[in-house]
Amino acid sequence: MTQHNFEAETGKVLELLTHSIYSNKEIFLRELISNANDAIDKARIKALTDTGYLGDNSEFQITLRRDEEKNLLILEDNGVGMSEDELHKNLGTIAKSGTKEFMDKLKQAKENAENNLIGQFGVGFYSAFMVADKVEVETKSNESKKAFKWTSDGKSAYEVSDSNKTSRGTIITLYIDEANKELVTEWKVKDLIKKYSNYVAVPIKMDIEQKDEEGKVTGVQLEQLNDMKSIWTKSKTSVKDEEYKEFYKTLTMDFKEPLAHIHNNVEGVVSYKSLLYIPKDKNMFVNMDDPNREFGPKLYVKNVLILDNCKDLLPVWMRFISGVVETSDIPLNVSRELLQSNSVLEKIKKGLTKKVIWELQKNLKNNSEKYDEFLVNYANQLKEGIYYEQEGKADIAGLVKFETLQGKKVTFDEYIESLENKEKKDIYFIAGKSKTEVLGSPYLEQFRDAKVDVILMSDPVDQFVVQVLKEYKEYTLKSVTADDIVLTEKSEEETKKTEETKKDFSDFLELTKNTIGSAKIEKVELNEKLGSALGALKTPTNWVDPQMEKMMRAMGQAVPEQKRILELNPNNALVQSMKEEFGKDLKSEKLSEMMNYSYNQALLLEWGEIEDMAGFVQLLNKFAGKYMD
Ligand code: ADP
Ligand code: MG
């Protein structure tokens, strides 16, 4: 028997691990199973070129044994095993670069960050020392006549001695410490295999107690603990629709059917298999809308569960998606921090994002009824996507539907399709805080008259859409309050009349402005296209939309002072009588009260409130008194 000291750095990892109060100690089993699986993979590959390699030991499997009296957990595999040299190299040093980097991070990390770092990422074989105070590795490789036994208490040294093992493979015996003895119980082992190693492609077997009707143990029987074949690693054609739906339920607890699933097997620069689900209904158990929720598909590496929610695989706005991604292109022993900047994940994310958008486009086209149900629940997240995605925002914008002035519910494409005059390249919209509010806007009058439809942006998130989406395809998104909208061409005669009215009103408009006060408004103009309305407030193009301004102020953001333009309708009877009064007595109290009233009613229409509410009501009551006369 010879005693060897661990390589200096290995000693440090061991110390950290054994003294770590890390709560997720149970990952040690996942690590050991994945090592056994790797060793079996290597044997399988050797057998391809060396026909006699396997001999009569050709049925690959991993066997678990437990001894509750002695607190032992034993794992056996018939993989490649290790020679004496390999034992030293693999279990006496930190040869793996991932582990080395992990170490470096760990050195810098503080007490509690340390626990986070270990996170869901194992540090391989040594994690066994988080739960065992002694580990024995008996192993036999075909490359060596002799078998060897490696023993260590995980402190500073390990011993290597001869073993009488004759068959190829490795047996690892864990002397589970007192504090973790639960790990030796049958249910716990079963539970851990199901949780982390269910899809490992080699059967994992263990003696399971058999019970009679009264629950008495009648004996044991070797049973397979893992399912092995995961649905996402199967080919699309071999998975039945029912299986997809079943898996969705176990994955999400959503008992309703999903809108669609996206199953892919990608081989290329980065290879991965993925199975993603788009929900249709709101999930009763998880608020898919909550941006602080853990989201993202499960991440498997070589059939081993690495992360329950890998949020680096999809953009945040796609947090309604659930599923599984499996890749062999990242190492199992990578720390969480390293994973975040992993270019493999980034590439997968790009691919998945595109696929989700394609699938949504497909459903919009061919599965419209269910797609509409999806939109009821998830349109807001798509709108968020329009806001956050720089490149793909037009694609996402094409996926949402809006209500319109003419009572339809349409996508931008459908809106464009319905336009009689497609030359204009304008998509008209009106923004406001509720449907009732926007429908009451005088600016819609000319659109009603000309029978041109308008998109109603009446949801608070629509403000974000308006802010970033200046155009869709080659069409400009244009607010109905814009000054340069011409829906119906005027005749020469009409143009002339307009000019005359303008001249006729100009002094009156000037006085109106001065009466209201130039601190409040920029100027007063005429607008003949306000239907029967008295007047309205206009936002010059390029200004922050009033609704947006409101939101920004509510969020405490500074918005530059924006003076508005008051538009008066020369066809309105009240405007006409004001003008008449102006001709008679431009200093009359009646006139100045009416002018202020015109401004305040426009303000009220738009903002739903005015500063001097009491004064305004008083004025209204005065009017009402006249009405009763
Ligand atoms: P990794 O699996 O990332 O290489 P580990 O710390 O888990 O790191 O394992 C270290 C090395 O020990 C492995 O690379 C492998 O060569 C060897 N090893 C561990 N377990 C076994 C096993 N059951 N059979 C053969 N070799 C093993
Ligand atoms: Mg490993």
Side-chain angles (χ1 to χ4, degrees):
M1 190 184 281
T2 42
Q3 174 143 1
H4 305 267
N5 287 330
F6 282 112
E7 185 198 36
E9 280 197 291
T10 312
K12 279 184 221 150
V13 171
L14 281 167
E15 202 180 296
L16 270 162
L17 285 175
T18 43
H19 292 109
S20 159
I21 40 149
Y22 182 52
S23 59
N24 200 11
K25 291 184 173 181
E26 51 188 39
I27 56 136
F28 80 95
L29 189 56
R30 173 190 86 178
E31 295 297 326
L32 298 182
I33 294 279
S34 96
N35 284 349
N37 183 49
D38 288 350
I40 285 170
D41 270 350
K42 285 179 198 158
R44 214 179 248 141
I45 289 163
K46 287 202 176 197
L48 293 177
T49 49
D50 179 354
T51 42
Y53 183 83
L54 297 179
D56 56 5
N57 188 359
S58 62
E59 203 180 304
F60 290 121
Q61 60 180 2
I62 299 168
T63 321
L64 299 177
R65 284 193 296 275
R66 312 175 296 113
D67 184 331
E68 287 192 40
E69 261 158 48
K70 294 185 185 143
N71 271 356
L72 299 183
L73 188 61
I74 302 161
L75 290 94
E76 175 165 6
D77 69 68
N78 52 358
V80 280
M82 283 177 270
S83 66
E84 189 176 11
D85 270 1
E86 286 170 325
L87 260 183
H88 286 295
K89 204 178 84 206
N90 296 334
L91 304 187
T93 61
I94 298 178
K96 301 290 144 194
S97 62
T99 316
K100 246 200 159 73
E101 283 184 58
F102 169 81
M103 261 300 296
D104 294 341
K105 290 258 172 186
L106 213 48
K107 265 187 242 159
Q108 302 158 7
K110 295 211 179 68
E111 191 50 45
N112 42 10
E114 168 196 315
N115 284 321
N116 275 337
L117 260 175
I118 298 174
Q120 313 221 17
F121 291 89
V123 285
F125 173 79
Y126 300 119
S127 58
F129 290 105
M130 294 196 293
V131 298
D133 38 34
K134 182 174 153 192
V135 177
E136 269 172 23
V137 181
E138 279 192 87
T139 186
K140 164 91 180 61
S141 155
N142 273 5
E143 320 293 325
S144 153
K145 279 200 196 92
K146 289 204 310 196
F148 299 91
K149 182 161 146 188
W150 180 100
T151 315
S152 177
D153 59 2
K155 299 213 166 86
S156 59
Y158 63 92
E159 281 160 7
V160 174
S161 57
D162 289 350
S163 151
N164 50 18
K165 182 169 170 46
T166 52
S167 60
R168 185 196 71 243
T170 304
I171 301 173
I172 298 179
T173 304
L174 305 176
Y175 292 76
I176 302 292
D177 56 34
E178 195 55 30
N180 292 296
K181 62 194 224 192
E182 188 200 33
L183 295 169
V184 184
T185 59
E186 181 183 300
W187 78 267
K188 191 66 191 176
V189 175
K190 269 166 98 173
D191 183 53
L192 293 185
I193 296 294
K194 270 270 174 255
K195 186 164 171 194
Y196 295 108
S197 311
N198 196 29
Y199 303 113
V200 168
V202 177
I204 303 168
K205 294 179 179 170
M206 187 167 76
D207 272 336
I208 298 296
E209 289 175 344
Q210 307 295 306
K211 290 173 184 153
D212 64 13
E213 279 157 20
E214 276 144 35
K216 265 212 210 123
V217 178
T218 55
V220 291
Q221 197 175 321
L222 198 62
E223 284 182 12
Q224 185 174 321
L225 304 181
N226 58 331
D227 281 345
M228 284 174 63
K229 197 81 181 140
S230 42
I231 165 168
W232 61 91
T233 52
K234 293 182 187 170
S235 77
K236 268 190 228 185
T237 46
S238 70
V239 184
K240 289 191 211 85
D241 218 35
E242 277 316 306
E243 284 180 82
Y244 281 125
K245 285 176 190 160
E246 228 11 80
F247 184 62
Y248 173 72
K249 276 180 207 163
T250 55
L251 195 67
T252 61
M253 296 190 295
D254 181 1
F255 54 86
K256 303 248 188 70
E257 282 181 15
L259 174 71
H261 66 259
I262 313 164
H263 188 178
N264 284 103
N265 184 349
V266 177
E267 308 244 345
V269 195
V270 173
S271 302
Y272 63 93
K273 297 183 171 85
S274 60
L275 175 57
L276 301 183
Y277 289 94
I278 305 173
K280 177 166 61 60
D281 301 275
K282 277 236 183 309
N283 193 318
M284 296 192 37
F285 300 99
V286 247
N287 178 7
M288 304 299 253
D289 211 25
D290 177 7
N292 299 317
R293 180 181 64 92
E294 290 283 319
F295 74 94
K298 288 182 191 295
L299 174 64
Y300 282 81
V301 173
K302 292 186 187 159
N303 300 315
V304 172
L305 178 67
I306 291 297
L307 268 182
D308 250 334
N309 291 107
C310 185
K311 62 177 170 23
D312 302 313
L313 284 170
L314 285 175
V316 186
W317 63 272
M318 278 194 191
R319 57 188 176 273
F320 52 86
I321 301 282
S322 48
V324 174
V325 174
E326 156 105 44
T327 179
S328 300
D329 290 352
I330 48 175
L332 193 59
N333 285 349
V334 64
S335 77
R336 204 186 181 117
E337 269 70 16
L338 291 175
L339 190 75
Q340 252 161 27
S341 54
N342 192 293
S343 68
V344 172
L345 288 192
E346 225 154 86
K347 288 195 183 94
I348 300 178
K349 178 177 173 178
K350 250 195 182 146
L352 294 180
T353 307
K354 242 186 236 154
K355 285 186 186 108
V356 171
I357 291 176
W358 283 338
E359 187 63 33
L360 289 170
Q361 286 169 336
K362 210 171 83 190
N363 279 275
L364 166 70
K365 240 188 182 161
N366 308 324
N367 190 16
S368 60
E369 213 169 289
K370 291 199 173 130
Y371 183 78
D372 284 348
E373 284 179 52
F374 159 81
L375 278 185
V376 169
N377 296 310
Y378 299 103
N380 280 1
Q381 263 123 297
L382 296 183
K383 287 173 185 172
E384 203 181 300
I386 301 172
Y387 187 74
Y388 287 111
E389 294 284 326
Q390 281 306 318
E391 275 168 50
K393 66 179 170 204
D395 283 337
I396 312 167
L399 290 169
V400 286
K401 292 188 181 181
F402 297 94
E403 290 189 75
T404 72
L405 175 62
Q406 295 176 3
K408 291 184 243 171
K409 195 152 192 190
V410 295
T411 60
F412 282 125
D413 289 298
E414 287 164 339
Y415 174 87
I416 291 168
E417 197 45 50
S418 76
L419 283 177
E420 230 167 86
N421 181 352
K422 291 190 180 54
E423 298 302 297
K424 283 244 179 65
K425 306 273 178 235
D426 281 333
I427 294 174
Y428 300 110
F429 73 90
I430 179 163
K433 69 171 189 294
S434 73
K435 205 176 142 187
T436 343
E437 186 192 288
V438 294
L439 285 177
S441 167
Y443 286 104
L444 289 177
E445 289 303 327
Q446 64 161 325
F447 290 87
R448 287 197 181 93
D449 288 348
K451 297 196 168 50
V452 175
D453 212 356
V454 175
I455 285 182
L456 310 179
M457 301 269 194
S458 52
D459 200 294
V461 279
D462 290 339
Q463 303 312 320
F464 290 97
V465 177
V466 176
Q467 209 192 12
V468 292
L469 199 70
K470 301 283 176 226
E471 52 203 14
Y472 179 76
K473 295 186 175 167
E474 68 274 34
Y475 287 74
T476 313
L477 262 80
K478 196 161 211 169
S479 166
V480 294
T481 61
D483 4 18
D484 57 342
I485 295 175
V486 185
L487 294 180
T488 40
E489 293 297 335
K490 278 187 202 163
S491 67
E492 221 171 283
E493 202 179 322
E494 280 171 322
T495 319
K496 215 174 121 204
K497 205 178 145 230
T498 305
E499 280 309 309
E500 273 167 18
T501 318
K502 230 170 146 180
K503 236 196 228 148
D504 187 29
F505 270 75
S506 82
D507 290 345
F508 165 73
L509 295 180
E510 188 62 27
L511 181 70
T512 312
K513 181 191 152 184
N514 292 335
T515 309
I516 297 165
S518 51
K520 287 183 185 155
I521 45 168
E522 183 71 26
K523 57 179 168 182
V524 184
E525 284 179 350
L526 289 183
N527 185 345
E528 296 169 300
K529 294 179 283 194
L530 293 175
S532 59
L534 163 60
L537 286 172
K538 184 173 76 170
T539 312
T541 335
N542 297 332
W543 277 27
V544 180
D545 182 271
Q547 288 305 320
M548 194 66 211
E549 183 185 337
K550 238 187 278 184
M551 275 183 61
M552 286 165 78
R553 286 197 202 282
M555 291 188 296
Q557 286 183 33
V559 188
E561 188 68 39
Q562 299 195 116
K563 279 191 278 178
R564 316 288 296 283
I565 296 167
L566 173 64
E567 294 194 315
L568 294 178
N569 179 5
N571 304 320
N572 175 279
L574 272 175
V575 175
Q576 283 164 358
S577 41
M578 276 197 279
K579 169 80 176 8
E580 225 169 273
E581 180 69 22
F582 172 78
K584 283 191 259 168
D585 177 7
L586 51 102
K587 290 217 172 88
S588 88
E589 191 193 335
K590 197 156 78 179
L591 182 61
S592 76
E593 266 180 0
M594 277 307 294
M595 283 170 170
N596 277 313
Y597 171 76
S598 318
Y599 169 70
N600 281 325
Q601 62 87 38
L603 206 59
L604 189 63
L605 254 183
E606 193 181 84
W607 292 78
E609 61 188 3
I610 43 177
E611 236 172 85
D612 183 19
M613 209 53 155
F616 186 71
V617 171
Q618 223 167 34
L619 194 65
L620 281 184
N621 289 342
K622 195 165 163 184
F623 294 167
K626 290 258 177 324
Y627 185 65
M628 289 306 289
D629 281 348

